Amino acid sequence: MIRRNLTLLGATGTIGMNTLDVVAMYPELFRVVALTGQNQVERLATQCRQFKPRYAVVLDESRAQELRHLLADTETEVLCGEHALEEVASLPEVDTVMAAIVGAAGLKPALAAARAGKRILLANKETLVMAGRFFMQAVRRGGATLLPIDSEHNAVFQCMPDAYSGDLAAHGVHRILLTASGGPFRTRPVETLAAVTPAEAVAHPNWVMGRKISVDSATMMNKGLEVIEAHWLFNARADQIEVVIHPQSIVHSMVEYLDGSVLAQMSNPDMRTPIAHALAYPDRIAAGVPRLDLPRIGQLTFEAPDTRRFPCLALAYQALAAEGGAPTVLNAANEVAVEAFLGHRIPYPAIAETLSHCLERLAGRTAGELADLVAIDQEARLVAEAYIARR
Ligand code: NAD
Ligand code: MG
C-alpha cells in the first residue's frame, strides 16, 4: 500500500476521532499533515501532540491563541478561519482529505479538496445534499476520487461492480437498498412523540455519533439526506433508491441486480470499518473492530418505514423530486430546526413541521451557480428561524 498524507477536517468529532484511531495503528502508512476543529481546543491539542501535524486549524482567533499557547513547544503551526480550512484541504503535500465537518460548514473545504484533485473520504453528507451537482462536477473536473464514509454508501460502494461508471442499467443494477436502524423511536407510540426530549433523541440504539446526526437518525431525516447522497454518489434516480428498516444495523446497505441477486455488506456497527476501507482502498487493513459474531446476533430483521412516524423521510424524497434548490432548503432548515430542538426551543414534531413549511415557502428556487445555493441556504435558515420564533 502506498503511504498517504492526510488532512482531517473535523478531527475532534466522532468521525475524526474514529479516523485517528485507525490512523494510529499504521504510523508507517499514514502521515497526518493537518487537523482541524472548531471548539474543542484541548482535544485538538492532544491530537496534535500525538500525530504531530504540520498545521492545526480552528475557526476564530481567540481559539487559535489558546491552541498556539498549548502547542508552543511543538512544530505544529496554528492557522485560523474558514479560508484556512480550504487551504489545508488543498495543500500540494496532501493526497487524502477526510471531510468530517458536520453540516453546511463542510461544503467549502470539501469543494477545495475536489478542485485540487484529492482523494476525498466523504463523511459530510450535507455537502452532497446542499450542492450535489456542483460538488460532483468539481470532483470530475478536478480529477478527484470520491470514497464514501457514510456506512450505507460505503456498503453500496463495496457491493457495486468494480469500475462503476455511473450508469446503473449498464452494470445490471436494479436498485439500491439503504438500510436504516429506525433510531430510538421506531416502536414508540406515535402519539407520544410530542413529548420526546433531546436526551432521548440523541440516545441512538446502535451507533455513537455527533448530536446533530443522532437527532437526524431519530427523525429519519438522516436517511432522507442519505437518499439524496446516494442519488449523487451513484447517479441513481429516487425510484431506484429504497429504504428498509433493519434494527440490528448489521447489514449496512445492499445492491440489487437485474438477475435477482442482492449483495449486502455486513459488519458490526462501528465507523472504523468504512473508515479503514476508504483509507486503504483498494487494499484492506485491520480496523480494530470486533469480528462479526452472527450466531450471537441470531436474527437480522427488516421492515418497511412508516412515513407517518417518520415524515422527514417523505420530505426528503419530495425535495429530491423537486430538484433545484429544494434539497438545499431541506438541509438548511433541518440544521436550524435540529439546533432549536436541541436547545429546547421547539418540540420534536416541530422539526418536520419546520422543514415542511420551508419547502413550501421556498418551492421553485433554482440555482444556476453555487452562489445561488449559498443564498438559498441563507434564506432557508432565515425562514426556518422566523417560523420557529412565531410558532
Ligand atoms: P461531530 O459533531 O461529532 O463532529 C463535527 C466536527 O466538525 C468537529 O470536529 C467540529 O469541531 C467540526 N465543526 C463543527 N462545526 C464546524 C464549523 N462551523 N466549521 C468548522 N468545523 C466545524 O459530528 P460527526 O458525528 O463526527 O459527523 C461528522 C459528519 O459525518 C456529519 O456530516 C455526519 O452526518 C457524517 N457522518 C457521521 C457518522 C457518525 O457515525 N458519526 C456516520 C455517517 C456520517
Ligand atoms: Mg449513515
Side-chain angles (χ1 to χ4, degrees):
M1 218 184 103
I2 58 168
R3 190 176 155 88
R4 305 230 168 249
N5 296 301
L6 297 178
T7 281
L8 217 174
L9 303 166
T12 54
T14 314
I15 295 289
M17 291 190 294
N18 276 305
T19 304
L20 288 175
D21 258 12
V22 178
V23 165
M25 293 167 67
Y26 303 95
E28 72 293 352
L29 286 182
F30 303 111
R31 184 172 74 96
V32 178
V33 180
L35 295 175
T36 86
Q38 186 187 20
N39 296 322
Q40 288 159 305
V41 174
E42 298 213 339
R43 180 177 290 165
L44 188 56
T46 307
Q47 292 176 335
C48 288
R49 287 192 176 276
Q50 184 180 352
F51 293 94
K52 304 184 171 39
R54 272 190 74 165
Y55 304 100
V57 183
V58 285
L59 280 185
D60 63 76
E61 189 48 45
S62 72
R63 294 239 153 70
Q65 294 290 1
E66 224 179 299
L67 189 60
R68 278 187 198 112
H69 177 73
L70 289 169
L71 296 176
D73 59 333
T74 72
E75 305 274 295
T76 299
E77 185 181 340
V78 176
L79 308 175
C80 146
E82 277 181 35
H83 186 71
L85 294 175
E86 294 176 54
E87 215 175 296
V88 296
S90 50
L91 289 169
E93 69 185 283
V94 165
D95 49 73
T96 303
V97 175
M98 166 60 85
I101 289 173
V102 62
L107 173 64
K108 282 190 179 165
L111 269 174
R115 290 183 182 128
K118 304 303 184 196
R119 183 176 159 108
I120 304 172
L121 279 43
L122 187 71
N124 176 254
K125 63 192 83 185
E126 293 91 344
T127 283
L128 281 172
V129 176
M130 187 184 164
R133 186 180 306 281
F134 295 94
F135 181 69
M136 294 307 284
Q137 204 172 60
V139 166
R140 276 191 302 276
R141 289 188 183 156
T145 304
L146 199 51
L147 295 166
I149 293 297
D150 211 347
S151 56
E152 295 75 4
H153 306 74
N154 182 270
V156 170
F157 182 87
Q158 292 197 47
C159 297
M160 280 292 208
D162 285 342
Y164 173 59
S165 67
D167 183 343
L168 291 179
H171 292 275
V173 174
H174 177 56
R175 61 179 176 163
I176 289 169
L177 295 159
L178 294 182
T179 54
S181 68
F185 307 139
R186 181 176 62 91
T187 55
R188 180 170 168 141
V190 177
E191 49 303 345
T192 68
L193 287 177
V196 154
T197 65
E200 288 172 318
V202 299
H204 196 278
N206 305 338
W207 298 95
V208 179
M209 307 182 286
R211 282 159 66 79
K212 191 254 176 186
I213 184 175
S214 296
V215 175
D216 286 348
S217 297
T219 60
M220 275 189 85
M221 186 67 242
N222 183 49
K223 213 49 54 180
L225 300 178
E226 290 182 356
V227 168
I228 300 172
E229 181 183 12
H231 162 73
W232 290 113
L233 280 176
F234 304 111
N235 194 27
R237 297 186 312 265
D239 66 312
Q240 293 173 311
I241 308 167
E242 193 163 312
V243 172
V244 186
I245 291 194
H246 166 48
Q248 296 83 14
S249 298
I250 297 297
V251 174
H252 297 299
S253 277
M254 295 169 265
V255 175
E256 181 179 340
Y257 287 83
L258 290 176
D259 60 10
S261 299
V262 177
L263 302 193
Q265 184 267 349
M266 296 194 276
S267 68
N268 281 314
D270 187 319
M271 287 308 291
R272 289 175 300 175
T273 294
I275 289 168
H277 170 266
L279 276 172
Y281 182 80
D283 295 321
R284 296 270 181 177
I285 53 176
V289 175
R291 299 279 143 213
L292 189 58
D293 183 349
L294 286 171
R296 192 185 54 75
I297 292 161
Q299 282 198 331
L300 301 178
T301 61
F302 301 91
E303 57 196 68
D306 168 3
T307 48
R308 214 169 40 98
R309 177 183 293 279
F310 298 115
C312 289
L313 182 59
L315 289 170
Y317 271 101
Q318 188 186 314
L320 180 55
E323 289 185 3
T328 310
V329 169
L330 181 84
N331 183 60
N334 184 55
E335 286 186 28
V336 171
V338 168
E339 198 56 43
F341 169 67
L342 285 171
H344 300 269
R345 286 162 54 215
I346 56 172
Y348 176 84
I351 298 175
E353 287 159 25
T354 306
L355 306 191
S356 179
H357 170 80
C358 291
L359 281 174
E360 226 165 89
R361 266 290 304 277
L362 301 169
R365 291 286 191 281
T366 56
E369 49 190 303
L370 188 64
D372 300 334
L373 285 180
V374 174
I376 292 170
D377 174 276
Q378 293 304 320
E379 192 182 5
R381 284 169 201 272
L382 294 176
V383 172
E385 285 292 1
Y387 177 78
I388 286 167
R390 68 166 186 272
R391 70 177 298 289

